[in-house]
Amino acid sequence: QLHQPAAFGARKGRLCTASRHERMKGLHMAIDAFVHHLQAHPRGFTLTILGDGPERANLESQAAAMASPGRVSFTGKLNYADEFPAALREHEMVLFANLNDEQPRAVFDGIAAGCIPICPRIDAYIVMGLPEQLYYPRGDEGALADVVLRIDALEDKSALLAELRRVAERFTFES
């Protein structure tokens, strides 16, 4: 249902990140990508930083100094059982900017919530078999923004969303 055109279309241009606020998660790079490449786009993109952690104050300062007012927001800590999935369901794409080699389970949370995950090209994500167009070179803010713009430009995202559902189905507890 979250991938139906009416539900999905209502989230157009709404981007988020989803991770603990630590330097290795690359949230500062996601903010840079947004500020330098996406905030001036006619689409009117917004970026929501979901979560909390030791880097939050630095990230808020970075966003306040660089982003247009109201274009980057922070949610703080979200309850994983209901607040976190509800927040994801409000967004079209979830950006993962990891600078380390981990694969956060939030990729699956994002797919389950109807989001399109944008991920660094590292083994931890490649092994999942995500659609090729969702990857960018780790640490490259311009490439991250380019992927967002290419996905945004797709008139019909139904094939991409169907492929993401198949990815999620391969990684259930049962399978």
Side-chain angles (χ1 to χ4, degrees):
Q1 291 176 342
L2 294 169
H3 289 168
Q4 295 304 313
F8 191 76
R11 300 177 276 162
K12 194 127 179 86
R14 298 190 69 186
L15 312 173
C16 71
T17 63
S19 72
R20 181 164 163 72
H21 299 179
E22 298 172 339
R23 190 75 177 168
M24 68 180 185
K25 302 291 187 172
L27 298 175
H28 60 286
M29 196 219 27
I31 292 171
D32 282 345
F34 179 79
V35 168
H36 297 139
H37 306 282
L38 298 172
Q39 77 173 346
H41 192 274
R43 164 69 63 212
F45 289 109
T46 61
L47 176 64
T48 304
I49 312 293
L50 307 177
D52 206 350
E55 284 290 311
R56 181 168 176 183
N58 292 337
L59 295 168
E60 287 178 335
S61 294
Q62 175 188 1
M66 298 170 61
S68 300
R71 300 297 294 281
V72 176
S73 61
F74 291 79
T75 65
K77 187 174 182 179
L78 298 171
N79 174 292
Y80 186 73
D82 51 12
E83 293 174 326
F84 180 62
L88 284 172
R89 285 191 297 269
E90 296 176 7
H91 296 88
E92 178 184 22
M93 294 179 231
V94 57
L95 314 180
F96 293 95
N98 305 63
L99 299 175
N100 60 2
D101 289 327
E102 74 171 350
Q103 176 204 86
R105 71 174 181 238
V107 172
F108 296 105
D109 295 325
I111 294 170
C115 296
I116 297 172
I118 309 300
C119 305
R121 180 180 301 288
I122 58 173
D123 289 343
Y125 291 102
I126 293 169
V127 72
M128 294 173 60
L130 293 169
E132 184 63 29
Q133 71 256 44
L134 301 181
Y135 295 116
Y136 68 93
R138 176 176 38 198
D140 186 335
E141 75 177 54
L144 169 59
D146 287 345
V147 171
V148 168
L149 293 172
R150 277 196 307 273
I151 299 304
D152 178 68
L154 294 175
E155 280 296 317
D156 182 4
K157 295 181 180 72
S158 57
L160 176 60
L161 296 169
E163 196 171 344
L164 288 170
R165 286 191 301 277
R166 286 191 294 277
V167 167
E169 290 165 358
R170 285 196 312 268
F171 292 97
T172 64
F173 286 114
E174 293 79 18
S175 64

